[in-house]
Amino acid sequence: MEYDLPSDFDIIVVGTGMVESIVSAAASRIGKRVLHIDSNSYYGGLWASFNLDSISKIPEGNRSQPVVENKENEIVYPVGNDVFDLRIHSQKWHIPESNPEKDVDESDSAVAQEEHEWTQEKLLKISRKFNIDLAPKLHFAKGDFVELLISSNIARYSEFRSVSRILTWLNGSLEIVPCSRSDVFSSNRVSVIEKRMLMKLLTSCVDGDENEFKGYEGKTFQSYLKDRKLTENLIHYVLYAIAMCTDDTLCLEGVEKTKRFLGSLGRFGKTPFLYSMYGSGEITQAFCRLSAVFGGIYALNQSLNGFIYDNDNTFKGIICGKQRINATHLVMSLEKLPKEIVDFSTTEYISRAIFITDKSILEDEREHLTLLLFPPVDRKAACVVLELGSLTGTCPKGLHIVHVFTKQTVNPEDDLKHCVEKLFCKREGESNSSPSILWSFYFSAPNTFSQKLECEKLLNTYVCPGPDLDLDYDPAIERAKEIFERIYSNAEFLPRAPDPEEIIIEGEDNNNIINETEERAEVPADQGDVSSELAHEDDT
Amino acid sequence: MANRTSAAQRPNGSTQGKICQFKLVLLGESAVGKSSLVLRFVKGQFHEYQESTIGAAFLTQTVCLDDTTVKFEIWDTAGQERYHSLAPMYYRGAQAAIVVYDITNQDTFARAKTWVKELQRQASPNIVIALAGNKQDLANKRMVEYEEAQAHAEENGLLFMETSAKTAMNVNDIFLAIAKKLPKNEQTTGPGGSGQGRRLVEGDSGAKAAGNCCK
């Protein structure tokens, strides 16, 4: 379809990843004219979720390799780099393509109910019931992210599920981590004496005065736990599961992490964590929606052909298709950065695996949403395992999606092998109590949060990192806020959006109420802030 | 936010009966009159609220049927459809949808059919879909025949009406027809539907189900 976008904005946001989407929402919210575009046909960039069919086709990168053009008074930089692409290591089926003996033309519910022999054909047929995250995230119930969602009123767009149990790997088997008071007391894995010790320790981590940790400034959290005479098992629970630390984590950091965990208990459900229904990719869309509600213009699937700068390297505009669009500020995701100015000396990677499995890693009467914190062993880093069932809206009934990830040291297969081998059947067709892997996907994703992303060379230009290893979105929010405050230093960051009941009168949509207006006007330019809209008279 | 409306505010003053809340989305090409239909519905007949889409995620409107109060949470596209960039989260978990086209524009009808297909594939399985041929007041410029649209609706199990947001023709009726067709028992939605997840609300310390019947 042929159309032109408006050609003048306060800010252009390129890419619909998490950080970009938060900045877009925040700018729109204070009345700035925002153009938010993406060269992909989907929302989320490296933070997106895909159905089964489309994840098998995700491009490893978006390449166009034109060169820097020097025009009179202006420089046009090409868009995109291949430095921060996903690196796909393998994507494999572990089930037959089809089952010729059976009639495959069954309805979805029949597929879910029957005692099934899963085939590739069957799974692909219900491909859209899958929402597979490239960067799965959990949310601390009292963390920065949840607080921001609530304070900005974005929370109403999304639905969440509580993580229903937290597991760890201890003495060769999966154990439920007792994380709340009632868990601790009902656990039969913890002796009465241990219960008292654990409660006492958790209490002193939360309420402990400075003296409690005196002398531990340079020491590890593990040494503190040992000095408190905790048993081996308790140290394991606290160190690896509750605090999510390594043996080397310093005491005060361990205490902070314990507090982060305990502080989120009891707000929404049994564990401190929430997961966004239909996948983590929904979250970027919620921020984009807020941006649109406040007048942000959205255009996916755009061919971006260049970033325009003047001779002083000040941002002027972009070339989108054949159109030139001007703006004062440019915010972009790092994979859209011109190759010429990327500093990629220190890119770290995250090793990720995604599996579709036929049952839970720890079967129970009801479906669980499980977080397994797999401890570090033999110089292998700790792995995070997230198992999602059909109640999360990310996979069909009877199946699970399992995400496994860790900091990359070698490659995804090698980094995760020790953990994967313990949880799943080793060979195809082997039947024991472990779940079988029906489909597997190993890839590396860049972790760019620790990377320097200032482009000092280019003025009025701000770069957003991709997904990191944090369980929650805290670092993304912090980065978005930083960018927002550098652009609009005195403005409020995502103040609460009004509820429908609080908005009395419409302004801009008036021409839409009467059908004589043939087309929706080219809206964006004159959308003031909401407070001025509220003052208009209702003339319908 | 979900349960803000107290029973006392309801038009008939009744405090009896159950209240059901449903998410309803509007889909269709730009300029077919989606927002107009909603504003006519919300402001035309039921005057307890005066709301707007500006800066709001959605509008709410309540319809009373015999012993049941149906509260619609009506989501606006926020203009994201203009450049074909509507976020899928918009229609996730919706229990009802009105797919709107303009009877004076054949392209918008073709686009409406595409939206119906998308909803049938991607939205919750029990979604109630209504097809609205809007701008009926411009029937002298009609490009989409009533019978053609009706046949398409019948084939696909959709409710169908021609409407005019301008004259208010069939506007309330189409929402009422949807309200009647929506299942109003406790467990209305299957897996993948709304009402299963948790909405986060300020000061909330427990579960708060969204979307399904709350009383």
Side-chain angles (χ1 to χ4, degrees), chain A residues 176 178 182-191 195 237:
Chain A
I176 295 173
S182 63
D183 276 359
V184 172
F185 284 102
S186 63
S187 170
N188 52 16
R189 295 288 179 163
V190 185
S191 74
K195 282 175 188 174
Y237 286 138

Side-chain angles (χ1 to χ4, degrees), chain A residues 157-177:
Chain A
Y157 299 150
S158 307
E159 291 177 66
F160 296 85
R161 286 235 164 245
S162 300
V163 170
S164 58
R165 61 182 181 185
I166 297 175
L167 306 179
T168 186
W169 181 264
L170 176 61
N171 303 330
S173 67
L174 289 170
E175 295 287 348
I176 295 173
V177 176

